[in-house]
């Protein structure tokens, strides 16, 4: 989950400002639990626990499902977010100039995919599972999720800056994960990133998450496949390339030909024997974050 100092993030900070709610998060990190189980662990009434869970749900930290057991209905709760990333405003409070482009996951310009693979809109699966031909279906432009065990997906992004404007930093945020048959929370995958033909570095995705349903997934989406990814932020500036603040290479802005009229950005599921765990990209309507692939260009 990506947070800032704006009012939208305030509900998350308020939800975390409680010892009881922090304890609920700790319990749910271990396993899915229903309200009565949580109440028993916390020595509180079910009504009080339900109120705390409701605040965590509104903040997007916890999700729930209703299940009938032995004639009774139970509200089972699970974590929707495993990580929080906070971007604080600068101490001087000076807003940076920025241009933002949101690219839907289906708007790729080139792709190679090997099974297990698939692509879907919020309304339906496009074609069939494990048939790469359907990645060329015209309906792909409406896709909200795609996945493959090996290959790459490439996007062309317009550079809207004028000639007298200088890029200071390029930031790409995306919800991303591995791709395992069905799902596997422990399924490491080396995912590479390339811009304008320059390899930026790679990041190892820990797994293909599916034990907990993605909070945005449409009702028809099966529970035995990938459900959500991790929100990752890739940055390229004068100091190098960084993933969530950690330097992954020495490639700088000057190396990636940022002055081009368009940029070509590629995600690659590395074709290696070790940690070849595929790639899943989540867009609007899928996973836990209501966004596509977002490119932010900070300039002066």
């Amino acid at each position: 989950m990506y947070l800032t100092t704006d009012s939208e993030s305030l509900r998350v900070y308020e939800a975390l400002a409680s010892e009881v709610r922090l304890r609920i998060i700790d319990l749910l990190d271990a396993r899915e639990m229903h309200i009565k189980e949580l109440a028993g662990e916390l020595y509180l009434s079910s009504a009080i626990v339900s109120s705390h869970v409701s605040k965590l749900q509104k903040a997007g930290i916890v999700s729930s499902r209703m299940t009938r057991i032995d004639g009774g209905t139970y509200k089972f709760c699970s974590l929707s977010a495993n990580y929080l990333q906070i971007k604080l405003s600068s101490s001087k409070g000076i807003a940076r100039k920025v241009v933002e482009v949101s690219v839907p996951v289906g708007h790729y310009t080139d792709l190679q995919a090997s099974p297990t693979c698939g692509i879907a809109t919020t309304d339906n699966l496009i074609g069939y599972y494990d048939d790469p031909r359907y990645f060329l279906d015209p309906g792909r432009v409406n896709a909200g999720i795609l996945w493959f065990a090996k290959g790459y997906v490439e996007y062309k992004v317009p550079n809207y800056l004028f000639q007298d404007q200088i890029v200071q930093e390029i930031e790409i945020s995306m919800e991303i994960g591995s791709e395992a048959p069905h799902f596997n929370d422990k399924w490491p995958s080396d995912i590479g990133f390339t811009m304008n033909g320059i390899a930026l570095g790679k990041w190892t995705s820990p797994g293909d998450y599916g034990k907990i349903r993605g909070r945005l997934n449409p009702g028809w989406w099966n529970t035995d496949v990938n459900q959500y990814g991790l929100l990752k932020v890739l940055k390229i500036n004068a100091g190098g390339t960084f993933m969530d603040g950690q330097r992954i290479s020495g490639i700088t802005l000057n190396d990636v030909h940022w002055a081009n009229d368009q940029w070509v950005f590629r995600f690659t599921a590395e074709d290696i024997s070790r940690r070849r765990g595929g790639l899943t990209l989540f867009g609007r309507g899928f996973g836990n974050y209501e966004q596509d692939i977002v490119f932010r260009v900070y300039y002066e």
Side-chain angles (χ1 to χ4, degrees):
M1 183 179 292
Y2 187 73
L3 305 174
T4 65
T5 53
D6 63 15
S7 58
E8 287 294 318
S9 299
L10 184 59
R11 60 183 178 180
V12 179
Y13 303 135
E14 291 175 341
L16 295 174
S18 162
E19 289 187 13
V20 172
R21 291 194 285 276
L22 291 177
R23 178 61 179 143
I24 290 173
I25 291 171
D26 285 340
L27 291 170
L28 296 181
D29 184 51
R31 65 184 178 89
E32 185 182 48
M33 300 177 71
H34 58 67
I35 294 293
K36 288 186 178 180
E37 286 179 305
L38 289 169
E41 289 284 345
L42 297 168
Y43 299 101
L44 296 171
S45 70
S46 294
I48 291 175
V49 171
S50 184
S51 176
H52 283 295
V53 167
S54 178
K55 290 182 179 180
L56 291 170
Q57 282 185 273
K58 291 178 181 178
I61 298 171
V62 167
S63 57
S64 66
R65 61 183 179 88
M66 305 301 291
T67 302
R68 295 279 296 177
I69 300 176
D70 297 331
T73 301
Y74 294 80
K75 182 176 181 178
F76 279 83
C77 305
S78 56
L79 289 185
S80 297
N82 297 91
Y83 301 92
L84 301 178
Q85 182 180 13
I86 301 174
K87 172 68 171 65
L88 298 176
S89 301
S90 63
S91 57
K92 295 181 180 179
I94 300 175
R96 292 196 290 172
K97 296 178 181 178
V98 60
V99 173
E100 181 175 300
V101 180
S102 180
V103 181
V105 298
H107 283 227
Y108 47 83
T109 54
D110 194 12
L111 178 139
Q112 287 185 5
S114 297
T116 51
C117 63
I119 182 170
T121 71
T122 53
D123 294 323
N124 56 268
L125 183 72
I126 298 177
Y128 300 96
Y129 289 116
D130 301 335
D131 190 337
R133 294 177 298 173
Y134 287 97
F135 282 92
L136 295 177
D137 188 280
R140 68 177 176 82
V141 296
N142 299 314
I145 186 173
L146 63 82
W147 65 97
F148 49 81
K150 183 176 67 175
Y152 66 83
V153 60
E154 192 171 88
Y155 299 86
K156 288 185 178 178
V157 184
N159 177 7
Y160 287 130
L161 296 187
F162 296 106
Q163 290 185 351
D164 60 343
Q165 295 173 330
I166 308 298
V167 173
Q168 293 181 315
E169 184 173 70
I170 298 173
E171 176 185 287
I172 304 106
S173 66
M174 76 295 288
E175 184 173 355
I176 192 170
S178 307
E179 160 51 23
H182 298 291
F183 64 83
N184 189 329
D185 287 1
K186 296 181 179 179
W187 191 263
S189 179
D190 282 344
I191 298 173
F193 306 92
T194 303
M195 186 165 183
N196 294 334
I198 305 299
L200 300 174
K202 62 184 179 182
W203 164 71
T204 302
S205 168
D208 180 13
Y209 301 105
K211 291 182 179 179
I212 301 170
R213 186 172 182 82
R215 67 187 186 92
L216 298 173
N217 293 344
W220 64 268
W221 189 246
N222 292 333
T223 58
D224 64 345
V225 293
N226 30 22
Q227 294 294 318
Y228 65 92
L230 301 177
L231 186 66
K232 308 301 292 184
V233 180
L234 184 73
K235 293 185 179 183
I236 314 161
N237 54 37
T241 300
F242 303 81
M243 179 64 83
D244 294 343
Q246 294 188 340
R247 197 169 188 258
I248 62 174
S249 81
I251 298 299
T252 68
L253 282 172
N254 288 334
D255 298 318
V256 299
H257 315 297
W258 63 263
N260 292 355
D261 289 339
Q262 64 180 17
W263 301 327
V264 180
F265 192 83
R266 176 181 289 193
F267 300 87
T268 304
E270 298 282 301
D271 188 11
I272 54 178
S273 58
R274 185 169 176 264
R275 291 188 300 208
R276 193 184 80 187
L279 163 66
T280 302
L281 277 175
F282 298 82
R284 291 184 180 276
F286 284 90
N288 286 339
Y289 305 95
E290 188 68 305
Q291 69 163 71
D292 293 307
I293 306 165
V294 178
F295 291 79
R296 296 184 183 93
V297 184
Y298 298 93
Y299 67 95
E300 60 181 10

